[in-house]
Amino acid sequence: MSTARAGTDVANVLFAADDRRWAEYEGLLIAACQRAGVDIHLARDLPPDAVDYVVYAPNSPLQDFTPFTRLKAVLNLWAGVEDVVHNATLTAPLCRMVEPGMTRGMVEWVTGHVLRHHLGMDGHVMGQDGVWRTDVPPLAHQRRVGMLGLGELGTACARALAGLGFDVAGWARSAKEIEGVDTHAGPDGLKKVLSRSDIVVLLVPLTPETESLINADTLATMPQGTVLMNPGRGGLIDDMALLKALDSGHLTHATLDAFRVEPLPVDHPYWSHPRVTVTPHIASATRKETASEAIAENIRRGEAGEAFVNVVDRERAY
């Protein structure tokens, strides 16, 4: 076991993630903390009662936080916290990952696939059959996009799509205001957004309230011919209900990046369905360079007695 460093100006940081991430992050985290003016001792094995911060991947073997008696915060490496937020042994603040690289990656994936469906690009890419088709797509302002989830990522994507001229409506559990976006909240707001959208994008967090948010009832609310995109969480979708909506032609396509089981099993019907595009959870990923800066900033805040940023609301679970 690594020995914790003593001293009032040294923060002991436990890195609780796999070998690959340790190799990627060790030098970057130390350098980022140095730039932030924070002296840290970073290790993978520290006495629990000496740990000030845990840099954490929820699939880490560390699941019992009870021995960490001086813990100031757990700093999640991922945006999703559904695998740790309900851990009753964790009483210190839990901070989810929000960093500009992740946000930029999500904006690029969402705008790219919205434009793909808006322009009907699949028909040209897959239809090189010698037939001269002259169907002209509508302009962006004639295409209605519904953004479900208006957190950091959803808001950034909604703004980007509105900036391209799309008619964007957004929904969140609580009221939000975003310039250029028609925002709604609550159950009635969800129905309004779904019923007026040609393309629906899922970026809500996965909580008990949003589990299977897209189900037979909400799918029936969408107009005939809607395209569904899910770069959020696999548990947001009732898979059987979605497959039925695709088979019936009520939805024309689903572009999916997140799934209940990952990697997606080779025999899952999504792989072979002609109206489904599978991308292997690549819509957005934590970028280690900018993520290290975000972690260092929260450690700096903790050592300076300032409030942490991106703290998870345990009752809302995000």
Side-chain angles (χ1 to χ4, degrees), residues 21-40:
R21 286 187 172 84
W22 172 248
E24 292 175 343
Y25 276 95
E26 180 186 11
L28 290 171
L29 279 172
I30 292 171
C33 285
Q34 288 175 342
R35 287 191 293 273
V38 182
D39 188 12
I40 68 167

Side-chain angles (χ1 to χ4, degrees), residues 151-217:
E152 184 84 14
L153 299 178
T155 294
C157 292
R159 284 175 172 158
L161 292 169
L164 290 171
F166 286 100
D167 178 1
V168 182
W171 176 83
R173 289 176 59 193
S174 56
K176 302 283 182 72
E177 290 188 11
I178 303 171
E179 185 176 357
V181 178
D182 180 21
T183 57
H184 301 266
D188 289 341
L190 177 61
K191 292 179 181 178
K192 288 179 181 177
V193 172
L194 291 178
S195 65
R196 52 83 69 199
S197 297
D198 304 309
I199 300 173
V200 173
V201 183
L202 302 181
L203 274 172
V204 296
L206 181 59
T207 69
E209 290 74 25
T210 61
E211 170 75 27
S212 294
L213 180 69
I214 301 303
N215 52 51
D217 291 337

